[in-house]
Amino acid sequence: MNEQGNTVSARRALARVQSRRRFLQFAAGGLVGTAALLAACSQASDEQTPGGEDAGPGTSSTPTVATQPGGETPTGSSTRPIVIAQGVDIASFDPHEDTSTVAIAVFRNVFNSLVERDHELNLVPALAESWQTIDELTWEFQLRRDVLFHDGNPLTSKDIKFSIERVLDPSVNSRSRTRVEVIDRVEAVDDYTVRIITREPFPPLLTILGYLYALPADKYQEMGSEQFAVSPIGTGPYKFVEWVKDDHIILERFEDHWGGSPSIPSVEFRPIPEAATRVASLLAGELDLATLIPITDIPTIEQRSDLDIRTVPSTRTIFIGMNTWNPPFDDVRVRQALNYAVDVQSIIDNLLGGHGLRIASVSGPAEFGFNPNLEPYPFDPEKAKQLLAEAGYADGFQTTLDTPVGRYLQDLEVAQAVAGYLANVGIQVEVRPAEFQEYFTRWLNLEIPGLYLLGWGASTLDADGVMGGHFHSKRRGLYYNSPESDRMIEEAMSEFDPERREAIYHELMAYLHEQAPWIFLYVQEDIYGVKADLRWQPRSDELLNVHEMSWS
Amino acid sequence: MLAFLLHRILHAFFVMLGISFVVFILIHLSGDPAAMMVPEDATPQQVQEIRERMGFDRPILVQYGLFLGRALQGDFGYSYRIRRPALDLVVERIPATLRLAVTSAVVSLGLGIPVGILAATRQGSFFDRLSMMAILFGQSMPTFWLGIMLILIVSVQLGWLPTSGYRGPEYIILPAVTLGLYTSAMVARILRSSLIEVLSHDYIRTARSKGLADRTILTRHALKNAAIPVVTVIGLQIGYLLGGSVVTETVFSYPGMGLLAIQAIRGRDIPVLQAFVVSISAVIVLLNLLVDVLYTYLDPRIRY
C-alpha cells in the first residue's frame, strides 16, 4: 500500500457540474473516481508499500558476539536541524500499529529492536549484544546494560517480554502480528537475558525481530495504548517532541542514547503526498531531503548546485509473471522464449532513465540467498522464435498482460514496452491496466489468465519471502510451483547453518532461472533529492536514519 | 411552504440513501478489502481470517444493511488505518476544509462579482473581451495544473509564499486562489450574462428615462434580479469547493477532508471513505435545500 504505493496525482479537475441534480449523482461516484485517478497518477510507492516494508536482518543469522552497534555514526555535533519529506504521514506512533515503509522510516529513529540492520543491510546487534540458539526452538539474547528509555528509565528484559507478547496477544489485534506469528512466547530469564521460543524451527528468526520494537512496559501500561500512540517513548537516538497530524513530526536528539548522541540536533518529517509539490518544496529550499523523486524531475534538481540526486537499488523486484497452469505458459520453452524476447536493459535505459538494476532470477542483491553467478537471459529474438517454434507456437499466440497503473515507477509504460517486444516474436499481447487494489485482488484469487506485471520486495530481506510468496504449493505459489521448488524451500527453512542455507537458495534460484516462471526484469532504484551538503547515502531498505546523517 | 419543505426533506433522504448504496457497492466492487488489510506477503489463511473477522464474507446486501443501520445512528465504524471512529476523523477535518472553502469563496466572489458587473455594463468593450478570455482560461485550467504552476512561480521562483502544509494564514493563499479561480470565472460569466439580460428589460429603460443614476439603477434594480442564477451557481460551487478540495488539498498537502479522503482511498480505509462521501453528500443536499428557500426571498414570484 504501502506506499504506498503509488503515488497519486490528478491531472483532471473534477468534472464540471452543469446541474444540481447531476452534481448529486456525481458526488457519489465522481468523488471516488477522481480520487482513484489521483491515486493512480502518482509515481509508484508513495505510500504504503507492503512489499518493501522494513527490513529484518538478514545476511547471516547465526549467533555472533556483538561488535559496535549501528553502522557508521557520524561524529561531531551540529546546530542545524533537518527537514525531511515523505509521501504520507504515519497512522499512529505506536510502532506496531503502522507497518508501512514511511512509518518504519520514522520509527527507526525513535525505537530500537534487539537486532537491526546497518547501512549495508548486515544484521548487527542493537539492544541485544549477543545471542545463541539453545535448541531448535529456543533463542537466548543478552541485552546491553546501558540502554535508557527517553524518560530516563533503563531497559530490562521485562520490557522486551512485554513489547513482544503484546504484539502476539490476539486480543490486541496488532497489525504486526501476522509477521511474527511464528513466535510462541518470550521468557525473561533475568534482568538482561531473554529467551524467545518459536512454534516451529525458524532459522531466519533474526530477520523478523526488526518488526518488534522495545517499548517501556510500565510506562506503556500507565499511559495506555491511545496516549502512547500520540506521545511515544523509545530507546532510539531521537526522542519524540511533537506530532501535528498530516503536517509535521518533530524529533529531537536524545543525548543519552546507548549508541552515542547523533550529530543533527533535531528532525522534522513532513508528509507531502503529491510528488510535484515535494519537488517544488525541495527547490524552494523548504526541505533538506525528499523521497520518491519522479524520474522526470531529476534534471531540474541536478541543475541546482545546492541540491543533489542520490539513488540506491531498492529491495523491490519488478517482473512479468505468467500463469504457468494455462497453455502456452505451461511449457518451459515458451517461458524461456519470453525471457529471450524482451530487451530489458533497453527498457531500463529508456523508460527508467537507467535507474534500474537488471536481475537474472527472482531476487535482487540486497536479499539473503541472492545468487550472483546467474547471468540474465540475453536479448535474442531469434532464439525466442526458435523456442516458440519447438513448442509448437511458430505462428505465435495471443495473450493478456495485466498491470497496475501508478503503483511502480513507469509500470504501464514498462508493460507496454514488454508487449511491444513480444509482438516482435509473434505474440500478440493485450495490455490491461487496472487500479492496484482491484488488480491485486484478482491476482490473489488466481484470476490472471496470462501475463501480469508485479513488484515484489521481501520485507525480511530473506529469500524465503519471495519463495513462500510465489513458488511453494502450500504457501502462496499461486501461479507456479513444483515438487522441486517445494522441496528446496522446505529444506532451506529447516537449515540453521547460514552457509548451507544460502547454498540451497543459490540452487533454487538457478532452478527458477531455468524454469522461468517470470520474465525477470529489474530491481527498481529509489531516488532521493537532498541538499548537497548533507552527508548521507540512501539505504536500500528505505530507512531514513537521521543518526546516520550529518552536515558537511 | 411547509409542505414543500417536508417534501424536499423526504426527497433529500432518498437521495442520501441512493448515494450511500452506490458508494457502498462501488467501494466493495473495487477490490477485496480483506486483502488490503494485511501485508502483501500475507498467506491466504491470514486473508481469510481477516475476511471472516470483518464480515466481508457475508452477502454484500447484508453488509450494506448492517452498514446502513449503523450509519443512521452516526456510526461509520472504525478507521482501519488509524483505529479511531471514522466519522470523528472526518468531522475533525471540517474546520480546515471550511476555512479553505470560505477563503476560496471570498476570492471567487471578490473577483467574480466586480468582473461580472464591469463586463456587463461595458458590454463589447476591450475590458469585456479581455475578461471573457480570462474567464475562459480560468474555467479550462485543471486545478491540479494551476496549483502546481502557482507553487512553481510564487513559491519556487519568487519565494513569496510557502509551498505546502498549513501553519498560518499565509499558507492558505495559494490553495484558496487555486480553488477560487475556477469558481470566480463561473460567477463572473453567469453574472455578466444575467446582468446583460436584466439591463435590457423595459423597467430598466423606465428607470433610466426617469433620470436615475446608473449606479442606483444597478444596485437598486438590476443586481437583485440578476442575482438568482448567481445564487444557484454559488450554492453549487460551495459543494464544489468542499468536494473539489480533494485535488487542491492533495497538491498543497493541506490537512483537510480532501487529503483525508485521498489517504483513505490509498490505504483502502473503507469506513473513512464512506463517512467522507456521505458527509459531503449531506452538505450538498442541504445546500440545495437552502438555495431553493433563498429563491423565494430573491424572487417573490417563486412560491412553493
Side-chain angles (χ1 to χ4, degrees):
Chain A
M1 358 158 165
N2 7 145
E3 41 164 83
Q4 333 26 282
N6 25 28
T7 1
V8 178
S9 70
R11 315 276 127 138
R12 324 257 174 283
L14 286 176
R16 302 281 146 62
V17 184
Q18 303 303 342
S19 79
R20 290 184 288 148
R21 299 297 170 256
R22 262 184 56 199
F23 190 80
L24 291 178
Q25 295 154 5
F26 169 79
L31 289 177
V32 181
T34 309
L37 179 69
L38 259 169
C41 308
S42 344
Q43 288 297 359
S45 52
D46 245 15
E47 70 188 93
Q48 312 163 277
T49 51
E53 268 159 30
D54 186 16
T59 354
S60 136
S61 45
T62 14
T64 39
V65 175
T67 51
Q68 274 305 301
E72 339 94 73
T73 306
T75 46
S77 178
S78 148
T79 54
R80 183 171 152 199
I82 186 168
V83 182
I84 299 175
Q86 302 197 83
V88 264
D89 197 11
I90 61 174
S92 163
F93 230 124
D94 184 327
H96 299 119
E97 278 307 304
D98 189 341
T99 55
S100 65
T101 317
V102 292
I104 291 166
V106 174
F107 296 156
R108 281 274 159 224
N109 291 293
V110 180
F111 302 96
N112 290 119
S113 303
L114 288 173
V115 289
E116 295 175 0
R117 281 184 190 275
D118 67 10
H119 194 275
E120 280 64 51
L121 308 189
N122 300 309
L123 175 69
V124 291
L127 297 180
E129 55 183 13
S130 66
W131 53 87
Q132 55 178 319
T133 43
I134 306 282
D135 57 46
E136 282 204 330
L137 299 178
T138 313
W139 299 63
E140 188 172 278
F141 295 83
Q142 294 298 323
L143 303 185
R144 294 181 65 104
R145 287 159 189 259
D146 56 354
V147 180
L148 292 180
F149 281 104
H150 299 152
D151 64 354
N153 289 314
L155 169 100
T156 66
S157 54
K158 189 179 72 172
D159 300 302
I160 301 291
K161 178 178 165 66
F162 167 81
S163 307
I164 299 180
E165 291 196 335
R166 193 179 156 277
V167 173
L168 295 174
D169 182 353
S171 69
V172 170
N173 193 14
S174 169
R175 238 167 259 275
S176 301
R177 186 163 64 99
T178 55
R179 297 199 149 150
V180 296
E181 269 176 331
V182 70
I183 298 175
D184 181 55
R185 63 185 192 279
V186 182
E187 289 170 0
V189 178
D190 60 44
D191 272 3
Y192 295 100
T193 309
V194 285
R195 282 187 179 174
I196 295 180
I197 295 105
T198 58
R199 292 174 192 279
E200 55 198 62
F202 190 68
L205 177 74
L206 298 176
T207 68
I208 62 167
L209 291 180
Y211 296 134
L212 297 164
Y213 305 86
L215 310 179
D218 293 337
K219 198 76 185 174
Y220 190 100
Q221 283 161 306
E222 183 189 316
M223 293 167 83
S225 55
E226 278 188 23
Q227 182 57 32
F228 190 87
V230 292
S231 54
I233 294 168
T235 59
Y238 286 84
K239 58 185 176 186
F240 175 83
V241 175
E242 182 183 51
W243 176 27
V244 177
K245 250 201 98 36
D246 277 330
D247 197 82
H248 65 267
I249 291 167
I250 293 177
L251 309 176
E252 172 189 287
R253 171 162 68 197
F254 178 46
E255 309 281 351
D256 297 325
H257 179 57
W258 54 270
S261 182
S263 165
I264 293 180
S266 72
V267 50
E268 176 178 341
F269 286 95
R270 284 189 202 165
I272 304 182
E274 180 45 56
T277 311
R278 212 154 51 234
V279 171
S281 299
L282 185 71
L283 294 173
E286 293 174 10
L287 305 175
D288 299 306
L289 196 170
T291 65
L292 296 168
I293 302 293
I295 287 172
T296 45
D297 287 315
I298 292 177
T300 323
I301 294 172
E302 278 178 335
Q303 273 174 12
R304 291 263 302 256
S305 60
D306 59 332
L307 298 175
D308 262 359
I309 287 287
R310 295 190 193 156
T311 63
V312 67
S314 71
T315 56
R316 190 188 290 280
T317 306
I318 306 291
F319 62 92
I320 306 279
M322 311 174 202
N323 187 331
T324 65
W325 314 123
N326 290 349
F329 305 115
D330 56 346
D331 189 322
V332 66
R333 288 169 298 190
V334 171
R335 302 197 299 258
Q336 289 175 343
L338 264 57
N339 274 284
Y340 284 113
V342 179
D343 188 350
V344 180
Q345 194 56 48
S346 164
I347 290 179
I348 294 171
D349 292 341
N350 294 313
L351 290 177
L352 302 176
H355 294 286
L357 180 70
R358 201 163 168 207
I359 47 166
S361 188
V362 299
S363 85
E367 258 170 64
F368 175 77
F370 169 76
N371 185 339
N373 305 317
L374 298 173
E375 285 295 323
Y377 283 86
F379 173 53
D380 188 346
E382 288 313 311
K383 174 96 178 166
K385 283 182 194 163
Q386 182 197 333
L387 282 166
L388 285 171
E390 283 172 27
Y393 296 99
D395 298 331
F397 55 87
Q398 294 195 340
T399 188
T400 54
L401 169 51
D402 289 88
T403 179
V405 182
R407 174 71 175 183
Y408 315 110
L409 278 176
Q410 308 281 82
D411 41 20
L412 178 58
E413 291 79 359
V414 170
Q416 284 163 340
V418 168
Y421 281 112
L422 295 182
N424 288 342
V425 297
I427 305 171
Q428 301 307 317
V429 181
E430 182 199 348
V431 177
R432 303 195 300 192
E435 192 262 338
F436 179 75
Q437 320 282 21
E438 188 272 332
Y439 158 83
F440 195 63
T441 303
R442 279 188 285 132
W443 187 86
L444 283 176
N445 293 334
L446 197 51
E447 288 168 5
I448 308 283
L451 304 172
Y452 60 87
L453 183 146
L454 191 64
W456 186 258
S459 46
T460 54
L461 291 194
D462 184 277
D464 184 61
V466 65
M467 296 305 174
H470 293 271
F471 305 114
H472 188 277
S473 62
K474 294 197 183 51
R475 286 164 71 191
R476 210 177 68 181
L478 292 171
Y479 293 84
Y480 174 89
N481 61 64
S482 72
E484 289 83 358
S485 64
D486 276 14
R487 178 182 57 77
M488 283 187 268
I489 291 170
E490 283 158 25
E491 219 172 272
M493 284 307 274
S494 55
E495 178 57 69
F496 277 76
D497 179 82
E499 274 175 34
R500 286 205 294 268
R501 214 172 150 249
E502 188 166 24
I504 298 170
Y505 283 131
H506 282 185
E507 193 192 334
L508 183 50
M509 295 212 183
Y511 170 78
L512 290 170
H513 171 80
E514 192 70 33
Q515 284 289 309
W518 297 349
I519 303 175
F520 307 112
L521 296 182
Y522 50 84
V523 166
Q524 199 171 286
E525 275 190 349
D526 291 328
I527 303 164
Y528 297 82
V530 300
K531 286 267 172 70
D533 57 353
L534 180 70
R535 284 203 304 214
W536 174 72
Q537 281 307 317
R539 297 170 57 113
S540 285
D541 56 8
E542 300 179 40
L543 295 190
L544 299 166
N545 288 344
V546 182
H547 63 276
E548 291 171 359
M549 304 177 190
S550 63
W551 300 110
S552 56
Chain B
M1 185 70 189
L2 189 66
F4 163 76
L5 267 182
L6 285 177
H7 175 253
R8 288 307 309 267
I9 287 169
L10 195 70
H11 180 82
F13 176 78
F14 281 108
V15 169
M16 290 302 301
L17 205 63
I19 289 172
S20 73
F21 182 74
V22 171
V23 168
F24 189 88
I25 300 295
L26 279 182
I27 291 174
H28 281 77
L29 284 181
S30 64
D32 178 358
M36 305 311 149
M37 293 174 69
V38 292
E40 264 174 41
D41 50 6
T43 61
Q45 294 84 337
Q46 288 168 338
V47 177
Q48 184 58 27
E49 188 192 313
I50 296 272
R51 193 172 292 140
E52 283 164 21
R53 173 151 31 97
M54 303 300 296
F56 294 141
D57 53 341
R58 313 175 77 165
I60 191 152
L61 285 180
V62 174
Q63 290 186 52
Y64 174 67
L66 291 171
F67 159 75
L68 192 65
R70 285 192 292 260
L72 284 174
Q73 302 162 45
D75 175 8
F76 285 84
Y78 270 68
S79 156
Y80 299 155
R81 198 172 105 86
I82 304 181
R83 297 207 176 178
R84 291 184 46 214
L87 193 59
D88 289 9
L89 290 173
V90 173
V91 170
E92 271 173 20
R93 301 300 187 94
I94 289 178
T97 294
L98 217 54
R99 185 171 54 214
L100 179 57
V102 169
T103 318
S104 316
V106 169
V107 170
S108 123
L109 296 181
L111 213 59
I113 291 178
V115 170
I117 292 175
L118 287 175
T121 50
R122 288 160 182 72
Q123 198 187 346
S125 70
F126 175 71
F127 177 85
D128 183 30
R129 275 175 286 157
L130 190 73
S131 63
M132 286 311 286
M133 267 173 57
I135 285 165
L136 191 66
F137 190 57
Q139 283 196 289
S140 47
M141 263 185 310
T143 318
F144 175 83
W145 182 84
L146 177 64
I148 296 287
M149 285 302 127
L150 284 176
I151 291 176
L152 287 178
I153 295 166
V154 181
S155 305
V156 177
Q157 294 300 329
L158 302 173
W160 289 349
L161 291 168
T163 58
S164 58
Y166 184 78
R167 290 152 202 224
E170 73 269 26
Y171 284 81
I172 210 167
I173 298 174
L174 289 185
V177 168
T178 304
L179 201 52
L181 218 56
Y182 171 77
T183 42
S184 76
M186 191 132 192
V187 167
R189 197 170 57 109
I190 303 280
L191 183 60
R192 176 182 172 275
S193 47
S194 167
L195 204 55
I196 286 173
E197 199 233 302
V198 168
L199 286 175
S200 69
H201 281 184
D202 290 347
Y203 71 90
I204 298 290
R205 206 178 46 216
T206 310
R208 202 166 271 147
S209 61
K210 75 178 178 187
L212 284 184
D214 277 358
R215 172 182 292 264
T216 317
I217 295 173
L218 196 67
T219 52
R220 282 276 171 78
H221 300 283
L223 266 186
K224 194 177 164 193
N225 286 318
I228 292 176
V230 178
V231 168
T232 312
V233 166
I234 291 170
L236 278 176
Q237 291 305 313
I238 291 177
Y240 168 80
L241 292 178
L242 289 172
S245 61
V246 170
V247 174
T248 309
E249 288 184 4
T250 305
V251 170
F252 290 96
S253 310
Y254 181 86
M257 291 161 83
L259 195 58
L260 182 76
I262 281 292
Q263 286 169 346
I265 288 164
R266 289 199 204 162
R268 214 72 192 159
D269 200 341
I270 294 174
V272 174
L273 195 52
Q274 281 166 343
F276 169 76
V277 178
V278 172
S279 315
I280 286 279
S281 311
V283 171
I284 292 168
V285 169
L286 200 69
L287 282 171
N288 275 283
L289 206 58
L290 281 179
V291 167
D292 284 344
V293 173
L294 205 57
Y295 282 159
T296 61
Y297 164 75
L298 285 173
D299 187 347
R301 287 172 303 183
I302 300 178
R303 281 282 170 263
Y304 298 109

